[in-house]
Amino acid sequence: MQSNQVFNGRNSAVPYPEKTVIGLPDISGTLFNESGGFQNWITDRTISLENFWSRLQRKNYIASVAWSGRSFFFGKKYKKFQWGISHSFDGESNFKYNKDLVGLFTYGNYGLLEKEPITKSQSLSLTPVFNTTLYQSIGLETGIFINEQFSIGAGVKYISGFFNTVSDIKQFDLDIRDPFTIKATENWTIQSANLINSLSFDSTVISRSQVDFGKHPGAAFSFGVFHSTGNFKMGAQLRDIGFIKWNGEKYSRSGVTTYSGIQINDLLTADKNIFNQITDTLKNLGTVKKSAENYKTSLRSKFIADMMYDLNNQFSIGASVLYRFNYFDPYWKVATAAVFSPSKIINLGSQVSFDRYENFNIGLFGALNISVVRWYGSIDHIPVLV
């Protein structure tokens, strides 16, 4: 909790460090893969899907990437209250997968039959689930100082969505026990706005249509409290309680499809159009329904509580708790931190955290205060240390 920094996602109840605050652009991001780090992909300094597949267990895994950027912030502080206005971009992509899905991409159906014994006795339940979204927002926040120790804050954002895709895969089973016959049992729906233009068996066309401001509107709200007594500070906030309404399309398919391969006695003398005929047959078997769809998605709201105690003018210790409502499963993380301030110009710190996936992380952060400009940066996980 560095109350002298004005970063994206800051608790609106924390008093601004100056009467007038201008926030320069900042950006942050997260990259997560439940199955482990990228070292699981590498064999002899080469990216290897085979190595990645061999380390997976027979369960579902989650991979996600999220990013957030602020273009500007302007705030004013008065005797009893403060207010600020900002503009930002936010986005995320999430994907749920299992070992069989990775195996099909790596080896194909015939190769997977040789590698995975279970494929010879039962169908594969793939059920890949994914979503992606990108939006911009204009935010207005205010903080009210109840007294010198206690303050409350709130914020509201108007959201304009750029694009979104969300899947609802109830069933996607693939039977590859016969290498010349593939049987697919499907029941799935994909909703998309300003991203997928067409979806068929053999191709997906990405939309390049112009994004109209306000075509996909939404709103978000936040609330915060802050308390300070001498060397001790503590705060809590609930952020990104909101939604986006999308004007898009729905793609769906439900049924059982069986495709049996053909036998070609002499491949060299086969008609060159035979492969086009095979593709057309697959496309006819795999028809995807499309219709207009208006739908709503929720933002990934989060609760954050943190505290800091100043041991002296140079050393401080703190702790924080994060609980976030992710797309698949809720996520939590607890962290402790220490800050060293050798002068008014430099702040250095380190944190240790533990999350719901039993990941133990060590991170670093720092700030440089030069005149009226404050620069800051942080990293939550340093792979070489853990």
Side-chain angles (χ1 to χ4, degrees), residues 186-236:
E186 306 168 67
N187 184 6
W188 54 263
T189 299
I190 295 176
Q191 296 169 310
S192 182
N194 271 88
L195 188 60
I196 297 178
N197 191 46
S198 66
L199 181 65
S200 62
F201 179 85
D202 66 336
S203 67
T204 299
V205 179
I206 302 301
S207 173
R208 294 181 176 85
S209 58
Q210 182 178 355
V211 179
D212 299 326
F213 185 82
K215 182 180 180 181
H216 311 293
F221 305 90
S222 63
F223 306 93
V225 295
F226 177 73
H227 180 67
S228 176
T229 54
N231 294 340
F232 182 73
K233 307 179 185 70
M234 65 179 300

Short mmCIF file of all heavy atoms in Angstrom, two decimals, residues 186-236:
data_model
loop_
_atom_site.label_atom_id
_atom_site.label_comp_id
_atom_site.label_asym_id
_atom_site.label_seq_id
_atom_site.Cartn_x
_atom_site.Cartn_y
_atom_site.Cartn_z
N GLU A 186 -21.58 -33.92 -30.16
CA GLU A 186 -21.41 -32.50 -29.86
C GLU A 186 -22.69 -31.87 -29.30
O GLU A 186 -23.79 -32.22 -29.71
CB GLU A 186 -21.01 -31.73 -31.11
CG GLU A 186 -19.78 -32.27 -31.82
CD GLU A 186 -19.63 -31.66 -33.18
OE1 GLU A 186 -19.36 -30.45 -33.27
OE2 GLU A 186 -19.81 -32.39 -34.18
N ASN A 187 -22.50 -30.94 -28.38
CA ASN A 187 -23.58 -30.08 -27.88
C ASN A 187 -22.92 -28.82 -27.34
O ASN A 187 -22.49 -28.78 -26.19
CB ASN A 187 -24.39 -30.79 -26.80
CG ASN A 187 -25.58 -29.96 -26.34
OD1 ASN A 187 -25.87 -28.90 -26.90
ND2 ASN A 187 -26.25 -30.42 -25.29
N TRP A 188 -22.82 -27.81 -28.17
CA TRP A 188 -22.08 -26.62 -27.77
C TRP A 188 -22.66 -25.36 -28.38
O TRP A 188 -23.37 -25.40 -29.40
CB TRP A 188 -20.60 -26.73 -28.11
CG TRP A 188 -20.29 -27.05 -29.54
CD1 TRP A 188 -20.03 -28.27 -30.07
CD2 TRP A 188 -20.20 -26.13 -30.64
NE1 TRP A 188 -19.77 -28.19 -31.42
CE2 TRP A 188 -19.88 -26.86 -31.81
CE3 TRP A 188 -20.36 -24.75 -30.75
CZ2 TRP A 188 -19.72 -26.28 -33.05
CZ3 TRP A 188 -20.19 -24.15 -32.01
CH2 TRP A 188 -19.88 -24.91 -33.13
N THR A 189 -22.35 -24.23 -27.74
CA THR A 189 -22.78 -22.90 -28.20
C THR A 189 -21.62 -21.92 -28.03
O THR A 189 -20.92 -21.96 -27.01
CB THR A 189 -24.00 -22.39 -27.40
OG1 THR A 189 -25.09 -23.29 -27.59
CG2 THR A 189 -24.41 -21.00 -27.86
N ILE A 190 -21.42 -21.07 -29.03
CA ILE A 190 -20.43 -20.00 -28.94
C ILE A 190 -21.12 -18.68 -29.23
O ILE A 190 -21.78 -18.53 -30.27
CB ILE A 190 -19.28 -20.23 -29.94
CG1 ILE A 190 -18.50 -21.49 -29.58
CG2 ILE A 190 -18.33 -19.02 -29.97
CD1 ILE A 190 -17.41 -21.84 -30.58
N GLN A 191 -21.01 -17.74 -28.31
CA GLN A 191 -21.51 -16.38 -28.51
C GLN A 191 -20.35 -15.47 -28.83
O GLN A 191 -19.29 -15.54 -28.18
CB GLN A 191 -22.24 -15.90 -27.26
CG GLN A 191 -23.49 -16.71 -26.91
CD GLN A 191 -24.02 -16.37 -25.54
OE1 GLN A 191 -23.29 -16.36 -24.55
NE2 GLN A 191 -25.32 -16.10 -25.45
N SER A 192 -20.52 -14.60 -29.82
CA SER A 192 -19.42 -13.75 -30.24
C SER A 192 -19.93 -12.40 -30.72
O SER A 192 -21.00 -12.32 -31.35
CB SER A 192 -18.62 -14.43 -31.35
OG SER A 192 -17.51 -13.64 -31.74
N ALA A 193 -19.17 -11.36 -30.43
CA ALA A 193 -19.50 -10.00 -30.86
C ALA A 193 -18.23 -9.34 -31.38
O ALA A 193 -17.23 -9.26 -30.66
CB ALA A 193 -20.10 -9.19 -29.72
N ASN A 194 -18.27 -8.89 -32.64
CA ASN A 194 -17.17 -8.16 -33.26
C ASN A 194 -15.86 -8.94 -33.31
O ASN A 194 -14.79 -8.36 -33.33
CB ASN A 194 -16.91 -6.83 -32.56
CG ASN A 194 -17.75 -5.71 -33.14
OD1 ASN A 194 -18.87 -5.50 -32.69
ND2 ASN A 194 -17.24 -5.00 -34.12
N LEU A 195 -15.95 -10.28 -33.33
CA LEU A 195 -14.72 -11.07 -33.40
C LEU A 195 -14.83 -12.18 -34.45
O LEU A 195 -14.03 -12.22 -35.39
CB LEU A 195 -14.38 -11.67 -32.04
CG LEU A 195 -13.01 -12.35 -31.96
CD1 LEU A 195 -11.90 -11.36 -32.28
CD2 LEU A 195 -12.77 -12.95 -30.58
N ILE A 196 -15.81 -13.07 -34.32
CA ILE A 196 -15.97 -14.16 -35.29
C ILE A 196 -16.99 -13.73 -36.34
O ILE A 196 -18.14 -13.39 -36.01
CB ILE A 196 -16.43 -15.46 -34.60
CG1 ILE A 196 -15.37 -15.93 -33.61
CG2 ILE A 196 -16.69 -16.53 -35.63
CD1 ILE A 196 -15.76 -17.17 -32.83
N ASN A 197 -16.58 -13.77 -37.60
CA ASN A 197 -17.49 -13.41 -38.69
C ASN A 197 -18.20 -14.63 -39.26
O ASN A 197 -19.34 -14.56 -39.68
CB ASN A 197 -16.72 -12.70 -39.81
CG ASN A 197 -17.64 -12.08 -40.84
OD1 ASN A 197 -18.61 -11.43 -40.50
ND2 ASN A 197 -17.34 -12.30 -42.11
N SER A 198 -17.50 -15.77 -39.28
CA SER A 198 -18.12 -17.02 -39.71
C SER A 198 -17.37 -18.17 -39.06
O SER A 198 -16.19 -18.08 -38.76
CB SER A 198 -18.08 -17.16 -41.23
OG SER A 198 -16.76 -17.29 -41.71
N LEU A 199 -18.11 -19.27 -38.83
CA LEU A 199 -17.55 -20.44 -38.16
C LEU A 199 -18.07 -21.68 -38.89
O LEU A 199 -19.28 -21.86 -39.03
CB LEU A 199 -17.97 -20.47 -36.69
CG LEU A 199 -17.45 -21.63 -35.84
CD1 LEU A 199 -15.94 -21.57 -35.72
CD2 LEU A 199 -18.08 -21.59 -34.44
N SER A 200 -17.16 -22.51 -39.39
CA SER A 200 -17.55 -23.73 -40.09
C SER A 200 -16.59 -24.85 -39.71
O SER A 200 -15.68 -24.66 -38.89
CB SER A 200 -17.54 -23.51 -41.60
OG SER A 200 -16.24 -23.19 -42.07
N PHE A 201 -16.78 -26.00 -40.32
CA PHE A 201 -15.97 -27.17 -39.97
C PHE A 201 -14.49 -26.93 -40.19
O PHE A 201 -13.65 -27.33 -39.38
CB PHE A 201 -16.44 -28.39 -40.78
CG PHE A 201 -15.64 -29.63 -40.48
CD1 PHE A 201 -15.96 -30.44 -39.42
CD2 PHE A 201 -14.56 -29.99 -41.28
CE1 PHE A 201 -15.23 -31.58 -39.15
CE2 PHE A 201 -13.82 -31.12 -41.02
CZ PHE A 201 -14.16 -31.93 -39.95
N ASP A 202 -14.16 -26.28 -41.30
CA ASP A 202 -12.75 -26.19 -41.69
C ASP A 202 -12.14 -24.80 -41.54
O ASP A 202 -10.98 -24.60 -41.85
CB ASP A 202 -12.58 -26.65 -43.14
CG ASP A 202 -13.27 -25.71 -44.12
OD1 ASP A 202 -14.21 -25.03 -43.69
OD2 ASP A 202 -12.86 -25.67 -45.30
N SER A 203 -12.90 -23.81 -41.07
CA SER A 203 -12.31 -22.48 -40.97
C SER A 203 -13.08 -21.61 -40.00
O SER A 203 -14.26 -21.83 -39.73
CB SER A 203 -12.30 -21.79 -42.35
OG SER A 203 -13.63 -21.53 -42.78
N THR A 204 -12.39 -20.61 -39.48
CA THR A 204 -12.99 -19.57 -38.64
C THR A 204 -12.49 -18.23 -39.17
O THR A 204 -11.29 -17.99 -39.24
CB THR A 204 -12.59 -19.72 -37.17
OG1 THR A 204 -13.05 -20.98 -36.69
CG2 THR A 204 -13.20 -18.61 -36.33
N VAL A 205 -13.42 -17.37 -39.58
CA VAL A 205 -13.07 -16.07 -40.14
C VAL A 205 -13.22 -15.01 -39.06
O VAL A 205 -14.30 -14.87 -38.46
CB VAL A 205 -13.96 -15.72 -41.36
CG1 VAL A 205 -13.58 -14.34 -41.90
CG2 VAL A 205 -13.81 -16.78 -42.44
N ILE A 206 -12.14 -14.27 -38.79
CA ILE A 206 -12.16 -13.23 -37.77
C ILE A 206 -12.72 -11.95 -38.37
O ILE A 206 -12.36 -11.54 -39.47
CB ILE A 206 -10.73 -12.99 -37.22
CG1 ILE A 206 -10.18 -14.29 -36.63
CG2 ILE A 206 -10.75 -11.89 -36.16
CD1 ILE A 206 -10.99 -14.88 -35.51
N SER A 207 -13.59 -11.30 -37.60
CA SER A 207 -14.24 -10.08 -38.07
C SER A 207 -13.27 -8.92 -38.08
O SER A 207 -12.44 -8.77 -37.18
CB SER A 207 -15.44 -9.75 -37.18
OG SER A 207 -15.98 -8.50 -37.53
N ARG A 208 -13.39 -8.08 -39.11
CA ARG A 208 -12.61 -6.85 -39.18
C ARG A 208 -13.55 -5.64 -39.24
O ARG A 208 -13.18 -4.59 -39.75
CB ARG A 208 -11.68 -6.87 -40.40
CG ARG A 208 -10.60 -7.93 -40.33
CD ARG A 208 -9.71 -7.87 -41.56
NE ARG A 208 -8.60 -8.79 -41.49
CZ ARG A 208 -8.67 -10.07 -41.84
NH1 ARG A 208 -9.82 -10.56 -42.27
NH2 ARG A 208 -7.61 -10.85 -41.76
N SER A 209 -14.75 -5.79 -38.74
CA SER A 209 -15.73 -4.71 -38.80
C SER A 209 -15.34 -3.59 -37.86
O SER A 209 -14.69 -3.79 -36.84
CB SER A 209 -17.13 -5.23 -38.44
OG SER A 209 -17.13 -5.81 -37.14
N GLN A 210 -15.76 -2.38 -38.20
CA GLN A 210 -15.44 -1.21 -37.39
C GLN A 210 -16.17 -1.26 -36.06
O GLN A 210 -17.33 -1.66 -35.98
CB GLN A 210 -15.84 0.06 -38.14
CG GLN A 210 -15.50 1.36 -37.41
CD GLN A 210 -15.86 2.58 -38.23
OE1 GLN A 210 -16.29 2.45 -39.38
NE2 GLN A 210 -15.71 3.75 -37.65
N VAL A 211 -15.48 -0.88 -35.01
CA VAL A 211 -16.06 -0.87 -33.68
C VAL A 211 -16.71 0.48 -33.42
O VAL A 211 -16.05 1.52 -33.49
CB VAL A 211 -14.98 -1.16 -32.61
CG1 VAL A 211 -15.60 -1.11 -31.22
CG2 VAL A 211 -14.34 -2.51 -32.86
N ASP A 212 -18.01 0.48 -33.16
CA ASP A 212 -18.75 1.71 -32.88
C ASP A 212 -18.79 1.93 -31.38
O ASP A 212 -19.19 1.04 -30.61
CB ASP A 212 -20.17 1.63 -33.43
CG ASP A 212 -20.19 1.46 -34.95
OD1 ASP A 212 -19.30 2.03 -35.60
OD2 ASP A 212 -21.09 0.76 -35.46
N PHE A 213 -18.38 3.13 -30.95
CA PHE A 213 -18.39 3.45 -29.53
C PHE A 213 -19.84 3.42 -29.03
O PHE A 213 -20.71 4.09 -29.59
CB PHE A 213 -17.78 4.84 -29.30
CG PHE A 213 -17.65 5.19 -27.84
CD1 PHE A 213 -16.57 4.72 -27.11
CD2 PHE A 213 -18.60 5.96 -27.20
CE1 PHE A 213 -16.42 5.04 -25.77
CE2 PHE A 213 -18.47 6.29 -25.87
CZ PHE A 213 -17.38 5.82 -25.15
N GLY A 214 -20.10 2.62 -28.02
CA GLY A 214 -21.44 2.51 -27.47
C GLY A 214 -22.27 1.38 -28.03
O GLY A 214 -23.38 1.13 -27.55
N LYS A 215 -21.75 0.65 -29.05
CA LYS A 215 -22.51 -0.47 -29.60
C LYS A 215 -22.63 -1.60 -28.59
O LYS A 215 -23.65 -2.30 -28.54
CB LYS A 215 -21.84 -0.97 -30.87
CG LYS A 215 -22.58 -2.11 -31.54
CD LYS A 215 -21.88 -2.58 -32.81
CE LYS A 215 -22.64 -3.73 -33.46
NZ LYS A 215 -21.96 -4.21 -34.69
N HIS A 216 -21.60 -1.78 -27.78
CA HIS A 216 -21.60 -2.81 -26.74
C HIS A 216 -21.39 -2.12 -25.39
O HIS A 216 -20.26 -2.08 -24.87
CB HIS A 216 -20.51 -3.85 -27.00
CG HIS A 216 -20.50 -4.38 -28.40
ND1 HIS A 216 -21.51 -5.16 -28.91
CD2 HIS A 216 -19.60 -4.23 -29.41
CE1 HIS A 216 -21.24 -5.48 -30.16
NE2 HIS A 216 -20.09 -4.92 -30.49
N PRO A 217 -22.44 -1.53 -24.80
CA PRO A 217 -22.28 -0.73 -23.58
C PRO A 217 -22.23 -1.56 -22.31
O PRO A 217 -22.68 -2.71 -22.27
CB PRO A 217 -23.53 0.16 -23.60
CG PRO A 217 -24.57 -0.71 -24.26
CD PRO A 217 -23.83 -1.53 -25.29
N GLY A 218 -21.69 -0.96 -21.29
CA GLY A 218 -21.65 -1.61 -19.99
C GLY A 218 -21.35 -0.61 -18.89
O GLY A 218 -21.15 0.59 -19.15
N ALA A 219 -21.31 -1.10 -17.68
CA ALA A 219 -21.04 -0.23 -16.52
C ALA A 219 -20.35 -1.05 -15.44
O ALA A 219 -20.50 -2.27 -15.37
CB ALA A 219 -22.33 0.37 -15.98
N ALA A 220 -19.57 -0.37 -14.62
CA ALA A 220 -18.87 -1.01 -13.51
C ALA A 220 -18.82 -0.07 -12.32
O ALA A 220 -18.79 1.16 -12.49
CB ALA A 220 -17.46 -1.42 -13.92
N PHE A 221 -18.80 -0.64 -11.12
CA PHE A 221 -18.81 0.14 -9.89
C PHE A 221 -17.73 -0.38 -8.95
O PHE A 221 -17.33 -1.54 -9.01
CB PHE A 221 -20.18 0.05 -9.21
CG PHE A 221 -21.33 0.44 -10.10
CD1 PHE A 221 -21.97 -0.51 -10.88
CD2 PHE A 221 -21.74 1.76 -10.17
CE1 PHE A 221 -23.02 -0.15 -11.71
CE2 PHE A 221 -22.79 2.14 -10.99
CZ PHE A 221 -23.43 1.17 -11.77
N SER A 222 -17.26 0.50 -8.08
CA SER A 222 -16.26 0.13 -7.08
C SER A 222 -16.51 0.89 -5.80
O SER A 222 -17.06 2.00 -5.81
CB SER A 222 -14.84 0.41 -7.59
OG SER A 222 -14.65 1.80 -7.82
N PHE A 223 -16.08 0.29 -4.67
CA PHE A 223 -16.26 0.89 -3.35
C PHE A 223 -15.01 0.62 -2.53
O PHE A 223 -14.40 -0.44 -2.64
CB PHE A 223 -17.49 0.30 -2.65
CG PHE A 223 -18.75 0.38 -3.46
CD1 PHE A 223 -19.14 -0.68 -4.26
CD2 PHE A 223 -19.54 1.52 -3.42
CE1 PHE A 223 -20.30 -0.61 -5.03
CE2 PHE A 223 -20.71 1.60 -4.18
CZ PHE A 223 -21.08 0.53 -4.98
N GLY A 224 -14.62 1.59 -1.69
CA GLY A 224 -13.43 1.42 -0.89
C GLY A 224 -13.50 2.14 0.44
O GLY A 224 -14.27 3.09 0.61
N VAL A 225 -12.69 1.66 1.38
CA VAL A 225 -12.54 2.30 2.69
C VAL A 225 -11.06 2.36 3.00
O VAL A 225 -10.26 1.53 2.53
CB VAL A 225 -13.29 1.55 3.80
CG1 VAL A 225 -14.80 1.60 3.57
CG2 VAL A 225 -12.82 0.10 3.89
N PHE A 226 -10.67 3.36 3.83
CA PHE A 226 -9.26 3.52 4.19
C PHE A 226 -9.17 4.09 5.60
O PHE A 226 -9.95 4.97 5.98
CB PHE A 226 -8.56 4.47 3.21
CG PHE A 226 -7.12 4.74 3.55
CD1 PHE A 226 -6.15 3.78 3.35
CD2 PHE A 226 -6.75 5.98 4.07
CE1 PHE A 226 -4.82 4.04 3.65
CE2 PHE A 226 -5.43 6.25 4.38
CZ PHE A 226 -4.45 5.27 4.17
N HIS A 227 -8.21 3.55 6.39
CA HIS A 227 -8.02 4.01 7.77
C HIS A 227 -6.52 4.16 8.03
O HIS A 227 -5.72 3.30 7.65
CB HIS A 227 -8.62 3.00 8.75
CG HIS A 227 -8.46 3.39 10.18
ND1 HIS A 227 -9.09 4.49 10.73
CD2 HIS A 227 -7.73 2.83 11.18
CE1 HIS A 227 -8.76 4.57 12.01
NE2 HIS A 227 -7.94 3.58 12.30
N SER A 228 -6.14 5.26 8.65
CA SER A 228 -4.74 5.54 8.94
C SER A 228 -4.60 6.12 10.33
O SER A 228 -5.29 7.08 10.70
CB SER A 228 -4.18 6.54 7.92
OG SER A 228 -2.84 6.90 8.23
N THR A 229 -3.72 5.50 11.13
CA THR A 229 -3.43 6.00 12.47
C THR A 229 -1.92 5.97 12.68
O THR A 229 -1.34 4.90 12.91
CB THR A 229 -4.10 5.15 13.55
OG1 THR A 229 -3.74 3.78 13.36
CG2 THR A 229 -5.62 5.27 13.49
N GLY A 230 -1.28 7.11 12.55
CA GLY A 230 0.16 7.16 12.76
C GLY A 230 0.91 6.32 11.76
O GLY A 230 0.87 6.57 10.55
N ASN A 231 1.61 5.29 12.27
CA ASN A 231 2.44 4.45 11.41
C ASN A 231 1.66 3.31 10.75
O ASN A 231 2.23 2.56 9.95
CB ASN A 231 3.59 3.83 12.22
CG ASN A 231 4.56 4.90 12.72
OD1 ASN A 231 4.60 6.00 12.17
ND2 ASN A 231 5.33 4.57 13.74
N PHE A 232 0.38 3.16 11.06
CA PHE A 232 -0.39 2.03 10.56
C PHE A 232 -1.45 2.48 9.56
O PHE A 232 -2.19 3.44 9.83
CB PHE A 232 -1.05 1.29 11.72
CG PHE A 232 -1.84 0.09 11.30
CD1 PHE A 232 -1.19 -1.07 10.89
CD2 PHE A 232 -3.22 0.11 11.32
CE1 PHE A 232 -1.92 -2.17 10.50
CE2 PHE A 232 -3.96 -0.99 10.93
CZ PHE A 232 -3.30 -2.15 10.52
N LYS A 233 -1.51 1.80 8.42
CA LYS A 233 -2.51 2.08 7.39
C LYS A 233 -3.17 0.79 6.97
O LYS A 233 -2.52 -0.25 6.86
CB LYS A 233 -1.87 2.73 6.16
CG LYS A 233 -1.04 3.97 6.42
CD LYS A 233 -0.45 4.49 5.12
CE LYS A 233 0.48 5.67 5.36
NZ LYS A 233 1.73 5.24 6.02
N MET A 234 -4.48 0.84 6.73
CA MET A 234 -5.18 -0.33 6.22
C MET A 234 -6.34 0.12 5.32
O MET A 234 -6.90 1.21 5.50
CB MET A 234 -5.71 -1.20 7.36
CG MET A 234 -6.77 -0.56 8.22
SD MET A 234 -7.37 -1.67 9.53
CE MET A 234 -8.00 -3.03 8.54
N GLY A 235 -6.65 -0.70 4.34
CA GLY A 235 -7.72 -0.36 3.40
C GLY A 235 -8.34 -1.61 2.80
O GLY A 235 -7.78 -2.70 2.87
N ALA A 236 -9.50 -1.44 2.20
CA ALA A 236 -10.18 -2.53 1.51
C ALA A 236 -11.01 -1.94 0.39
O ALA A 236 -11.50 -0.81 0.48
CB ALA A 236 -11.07 -3.32 2.48
#
